[in-house]
Amino acid sequence: MERKLFIKKMALLALVPSVFIAACSSEQQSNGEAAKGKQQTFTCPMHPQVIKNEMGTCPICGMDLVPFEKNSNEKALKIDEKRQVLANITTILIGESSLSSAKQLNGRLVVNPEKSSYISSRIAGRIEQLYIRETGVKVGKGQALYKLYSEQLATLQQEYLMAIAQEKQFQGDKIERQLVAAAKQKLLLYGQSENQVQQLVKAQKKDPYVVFYAPEGGVVAELSVTQGQYVTEGSPILRLEGYDRLWVEADVYPNEVKNIELGQKVKVVIAGWEDQPQEVGIDFITPSFQSGTQLTQIRGSIPNPGGQWQPGLQANVFLPSASNNNVLTLPVDAVIRDGKGMHVWIKKGKDSFEPRLVKTGEENDSKVGITAGLVNGDQVVVTGAYLLYSEYILKKGKNPNEELKINNQ
């Protein structure tokens, strides 16, 4: 009997380690599965689409990966007060106010053709001396442009001298006076100045070489001849452009034209001279669209004292629009915009911030109207919003715009 009791005790003792080992193994397996469910993941701060289960570097940019909770559904970010100060995170209570906006149009400065001069040869001959040999040179009124050798001009000069000599022989004869006047008029029409005609009379000698002068000042935009070249009557010599007054042209879409009138005043800002805005009246609205586009143009003129601006410079044209009252407005930088949408950050409690989708309306240089997503009294982040946006992507590996859209569906 005692022997049987002893055998039973020994069997029980042998069974205890097996049960303990099985329990430990089960507990370890359970702990392993729990650890597997909470496995740490890593992402790239610059490329949140990169997600790995172990620490490493980004295959795109080579940056070190950082940990994040990809399965976290918490929308809010926790930023303590000290970090808020360091990140310069400030908020305002959104409220209704008036908003006056202006539509910005892409424009440019162009040459005013009314200030251009086309100089052509008045008479046939050879360019003996070309005083201006390159474009871009500034020319003053009365400046010598070229010297021409012309046998035809020499013949006209001789005709004028003979007419004067005959008039002296028949003083008081009306016909002789008319012949002198006609001969002089020919010289003037062929480009001789009054001073050159007087010098001819004084010298009493024809001269086949004649210098032609600029009828007005400007910048040489085109040079059509070379020294030694023969030209015919009417051949182009050069083109001068005046830059003391330029045109401002701006592109306009069809739905914008209806709000524009001739004589309307607009603000023009030249790129690089933002501190010198100009008020320009609209002088012309192009009645047709540009070839291959759905754009028309408006035009005005702008003074250019001293020629500080050159044709081709970019100009921003601002069309004023009516002022809207009782509109929820925010500073422009408070709204985060990307290809996924627009959102702002709302402060919830002392250290909590949440993204919220919004829709915007009209805006100007400093303010934007909010048409949906916010209500009067919301506490909105106005500085540091981009830092919160980056922090959200860094910690959660998600774009807040995408996440908010999914949650709203």
Side-chain angles (χ1 to χ4, degrees):
M1 186 72 174
E2 290 180 1
R3 182 179 177 82
K4 288 181 179 180
L5 187 61
F6 176 76
I7 293 173
K8 286 181 180 181
K9 286 183 179 179
M10 292 301 291
L12 251 139
L13 288 173
L15 186 60
V16 168
S18 300
V19 172
F20 178 76
I21 292 171
C24 289
S25 176
S26 176
E27 184 178 354
Q28 288 176 357
Q29 183 177 359
S30 176
N31 291 339
E33 289 176 356
K36 187 176 181 181
K38 294 182 180 180
Q39 186 176 19
Q40 180 66 61
T41 51
F42 301 85
T43 187
C44 174
M46 298 299 295
H47 303 92
Q49 70 270 25
V50 176
I51 300 174
K52 292 189 175 183
N53 294 327
E54 58 183 2
M55 187 61 180
T57 58
C58 175
I60 300 175
C61 64
M63 289 184 64
D64 291 336
L65 301 182
V66 295
F68 83 109
E69 292 290 343
K70 72 174 182 179
N71 296 320
S72 173
N73 293 321
E74 179 67 32
K75 290 194 302 182
L77 285 177
K78 300 294 184 181
I79 308 290
D80 59 53
E81 188 174 352
K82 184 177 180 180
R83 290 180 63 199
Q84 291 180 38
V85 174
L86 291 174
N88 190 30
I89 296 175
T90 60
T91 62
I92 62 169
L93 292 176
I94 188 171
E96 294 180 345
S97 63
S98 61
L99 178 65
S100 57
S101 61
K103 178 68 176 179
Q104 181 176 335
L105 306 177
N106 294 322
R108 69 209 65 84
L109 299 183
V110 298
V111 175
N112 183 351
E114 296 174 354
K115 298 292 182 178
S116 297
S117 300
Y118 294 84
I119 298 175
S120 58
S121 177
R122 296 288 189 87
I123 196 168
R126 184 181 71 245
I127 304 292
E128 193 70 20
Q129 183 71 38
L130 191 61
Y131 299 113
I132 305 297
R133 300 193 181 188
E134 58 183 339
T135 58
V137 177
K138 192 172 183 179
V139 173
K141 183 178 180 179
Q143 181 176 337
L145 298 178
Y146 65 98
K147 180 192 285 187
L148 188 74
Y149 172 82
S150 175
E151 289 289 348
Q152 183 181 354
L153 187 60
T155 302
L156 293 176
Q157 291 175 348
Q158 184 64 38
E159 181 182 327
Y160 178 57
L161 292 176
M162 291 176 61
I164 291 177
Q166 289 182 356
E167 183 190 19
K168 288 181 179 179
Q169 295 180 1
F170 302 97
Q171 291 185 2
D173 190 286
K174 183 177 180 181
I175 295 178
E176 293 297 334
R177 288 200 303 271
Q178 291 177 348
L179 291 174
V180 171
K184 180 180 179 180
Q185 187 63 25
K186 284 183 181 180
L187 291 175
L188 295 176
L189 290 174
Y190 280 109
Q192 295 274 268
S193 65
E194 185 69 35
N195 184 55
Q196 287 174 317
V197 173
Q198 292 177 5
Q199 290 293 329
L200 174 63
V201 175
K202 184 177 180 180
Q204 287 293 306
K205 184 179 179 181
K206 66 179 181 180
D207 186 0
Y209 297 97
V210 60
V211 177
F212 289 88
Y213 301 90
E216 57 185 71
V219 175
V220 179
E222 183 180 345
L223 191 60
S224 304
V225 295
T226 58
Q227 186 167 302
Q229 179 180 337
Y230 281 85
V231 294
T232 60
E233 184 178 342
S235 295
I237 302 296
L238 54 84
R239 176 167 59 88
L240 297 177
E241 291 179 346
Y243 293 164
D244 59 330
R245 195 167 191 87
L246 299 174
W247 276 357
V248 181
E249 291 183 347
D251 299 325
V252 182
Y253 287 98
N255 61 333
E256 298 168 339
V257 176
K258 60 184 179 182
N259 300 321
I260 302 174
E261 298 178 353
L262 290 176
Q264 181 179 348
K265 298 295 183 181
V266 297
K267 185 174 77 169
V268 175
V269 177
I270 312 299
W273 285 267
E274 287 79 5
D275 59 333
Q276 301 179 36
Q278 306 290 315
E279 188 179 60
V280 177
I282 298 176
D283 299 328
F284 185 74
I285 302 174
T286 307
S288 60
F289 293 122
Q290 299 178 38
S291 177
T293 70
Q294 287 296 307
L295 293 172
T296 186
Q297 288 182 338
I298 59 173
R299 187 178 71 217
S301 61
I302 186 172
N304 187 26
Q308 65 173 339
W309 298 319
Q310 295 78 38
L313 279 174
Q314 181 184 353
N316 294 319
V317 179
F318 296 89
L319 287 174
S321 61
S323 177
N324 295 327
N325 297 320
N326 302 323
V327 179
L328 291 177
T329 61
L330 281 176
V332 172
D333 292 339
V335 180
I336 308 297
R337 312 164 196 245
D338 60 23
K340 308 297 183 181
M342 294 179 287
H343 73 274
V344 298
W345 286 88
I346 306 295
K347 188 171 184 180
K348 295 285 189 179
K350 184 179 178 181
D351 300 329
S352 181
F353 299 88
E354 290 184 3
R356 185 178 296 176
L357 288 176
V358 295
K359 293 182 180 179
T360 61
E362 294 185 355
E363 64 179 275
N364 55 28
D365 294 340
S366 59
K367 291 184 178 182
V368 58
I370 305 297
T371 59
L374 297 178
V375 295
N376 202 344
D378 280 337
Q379 193 170 4
V380 184
V381 174
V382 291
T383 62
Y386 278 95
L387 183 140
L388 294 174
Y389 173 68
S390 301
E391 185 80 0
Y392 189 95
I393 293 179
L394 183 63
K395 286 186 174 180
K396 302 180 182 297
K398 303 172 184 176
N399 186 312
N401 283 329
E402 286 183 329
E403 189 70 11
L404 291 172
K405 285 180 179 180
I406 293 173
N407 293 335
N408 290 337
Q409 289 177 352

